[in-house]
Amino acid sequence: MKKIGTVNNTKRILEENGFFMKKKFGQNFLIDQNILSSIVSKAEINKKVNVIEIGPGIGSLTEHLLENANHVISYEIDNSLIPILTKEFADYDNFTLLNKDILKANIKEDIKTYFKDDLPVYVVANLPYYITTPIIMHLLENVPEIKRYSVMVQLEVADRICANKGGKDYNNLTIAIKYRAQTQKALTVSRNVFMPKPNVDSAVVIFDIYDEKPYNVDDEAFFLRFVKDAFVNRRKTLVNNINNAYKLPKEKLEEILINNNFNPMVRSEALDIEDFILLAKLIKDNL
């Protein structure tokens, strides 16, 4: 292994290729081999797994993935990184590099085309901070082939994903992910192991998609929209948020809550997934 993800090698590759970081792509490259090894280990990457990587940069994490996974597809939006990655990994026959925007790519078709073995598909990525949530939600909603996510995100985003009800970090993102998967914060990562150093610390979050969701939801699209609407303004009660979103009279909303043993002054962060499932159905039935 060349050990791309070290300070000296990162500087060398950047200088040799005349590459400059682009703020618009949120580029921060990992430069700690122990962290890189830990990410791959905690993600449980082995030769019985195919991996999708998003934003490989100069390949610090890619190198570790290729050494361990059956096959890796890396999506890189920055044209100027393609020659670097192509050169660095020319000797690997289990590598597919795609110069595509992950939000616009036909990922399902790419999986069929490049993953020849019928193996589980995992995502392992150091996600660009500016677009973390859209990427996660896009994949969750559109690519059911992915069974596990191990993603590096801002520490505060990791706290939201793994939050429990009642806390300040608990919100619609928490529920949207936990409705689909079991989550855990696997690793906290200091800002000091990146080049350039970002302004915040990071964490690796792992979520395993349920084979069968443990929840019974009649209208999934309405349920997820209802949850999002319920958290529009955290300072408001659930009744006020739902009244603004659906224009049901407050008196009717309070009646629905009281009749189902909820405090009419309840705030969204006090409700669990089962509560939201019940309330979404009740509200929809009264629209």
Side-chain angles (χ1 to χ4, degrees):
M1 189 182 290
K2 304 173 189 175
K3 294 188 177 180
I4 292 171
T6 63
V7 175
N8 290 337
N9 278 338
T10 298
K11 287 180 177 179
R12 174 186 59 79
I13 291 169
L14 296 179
E15 289 172 2
E16 284 179 358
N17 293 276
F19 181 83
F20 297 94
M21 309 287 187
K22 299 178 181 65
K23 189 174 182 180
K24 68 177 181 177
F25 292 141
Q27 291 171 334
N28 301 93
F29 301 154
L30 270 167
I31 52 172
D32 187 298
Q33 288 295 309
N34 290 329
I35 296 295
L36 290 162
S37 294
S38 292
I39 292 170
V40 173
S41 174
K42 289 181 180 296
E44 298 181 0
I45 303 305
N46 55 53
K47 294 300 179 181
K48 295 182 179 179
V49 171
N50 288 323
V51 172
I52 290 173
E53 185 190 20
I54 303 158
I58 60 169
S60 302
L61 179 58
T62 314
E63 181 177 34
H64 287 257
L65 293 172
L66 289 170
E67 291 290 332
N68 290 276
N70 178 65
H71 197 99
V72 177
I73 299 175
S74 292
Y75 290 86
E76 178 52 62
I77 194 172
D78 187 348
N79 296 331
S80 61
L81 284 169
I82 300 304
I84 298 174
L85 291 162
T86 300
K87 180 175 69 175
E88 291 296 331
F89 300 116
D91 295 334
Y92 288 88
D93 60 5
N94 62 334
F95 182 49
T96 299
L97 176 62
L98 300 178
N99 184 199
K100 296 181 179 181
D101 181 343
I102 193 70
L103 294 176
K104 297 177 181 177
N106 187 338
I107 304 167
K108 294 167 72 71
E109 192 60 36
D110 291 338
I111 287 172
K112 291 179 183 177
T113 301
Y114 300 109
F115 288 155
K116 301 302 183 183
D117 301 287
D118 186 20
L119 296 173
V121 178
Y122 290 3
V123 164
V124 184
N126 175 18
L127 293 178
Y129 291 161
Y130 75 101
I131 200 168
T132 294
T133 300
I135 289 175
I136 290 174
M137 294 312 301
H138 175 72
L139 296 177
L140 285 173
E141 292 168 0
N142 297 289
V143 194
E145 291 83 354
I146 299 169
K147 299 305 179 185
R148 166 177 282 196
Y149 294 75
S150 300
V151 292
M152 177 99 70
V153 299
Q154 285 188 54
L155 183 57
E156 64 178 41
V157 175
D159 289 339
R160 287 185 205 132
I161 291 172
C162 299
N164 295 314
K165 74 170 184 176
K168 64 180 179 63
D169 297 311
Y170 185 74
N171 69 358
N172 59 294
L173 178 63
T174 314
I175 296 168
I177 294 178
K178 287 191 174 185
Y179 167 68
R180 298 176 169 97
Q182 290 183 309
T183 66
Q184 62 168 308
K185 190 194 298 183
L187 189 67
T188 300
V189 181
S190 167
R191 68 193 74 184
N192 296 316
V193 299
F194 291 92
M195 180 186 294
K197 183 169 73 173
N199 296 324
V200 295
D201 292 329
S202 302
V204 175
V205 179
I206 296 176
F207 32 106
D208 291 296
I209 304 302
Y210 293 121
D211 291 329
E212 292 186 18
K213 293 190 186 80
Y215 307 106
N216 184 19
V217 175
D218 294 334
D219 186 336
E220 185 173 284
F222 183 85
F223 161 68
L224 292 169
R225 189 174 88 233
F226 175 81
V227 170
K228 190 173 182 178
D229 292 334
F231 282 95
V232 165
N233 191 328
R234 292 183 66 92
R235 298 180 66 181
K236 291 185 176 181
T237 63
L238 175 70
V239 165
N240 282 327
N241 278 324
I242 298 306
N243 170 255
N244 289 338
Y246 300 97
K247 307 307 178 187
L248 276 174
K250 288 185 179 180
E251 295 78 11
K252 181 62 178 176
L253 292 169
E254 289 173 353
E255 178 186 334
I256 291 171
L257 288 169
I258 291 168
N259 288 344
N260 288 275
N261 300 315
F262 292 102
N263 185 328
M265 298 300 293
V266 71
R267 296 183 187 276
S268 298
E269 59 264 30
L271 303 174
D272 61 23
I273 294 178
E274 296 283 8
D275 294 331
F276 277 108
I277 291 170
L278 172 60
L279 289 170
K281 184 178 187 309
L282 292 169
I283 297 304
K284 184 184 176 186
D285 289 346
N286 280 274
L287 291 179

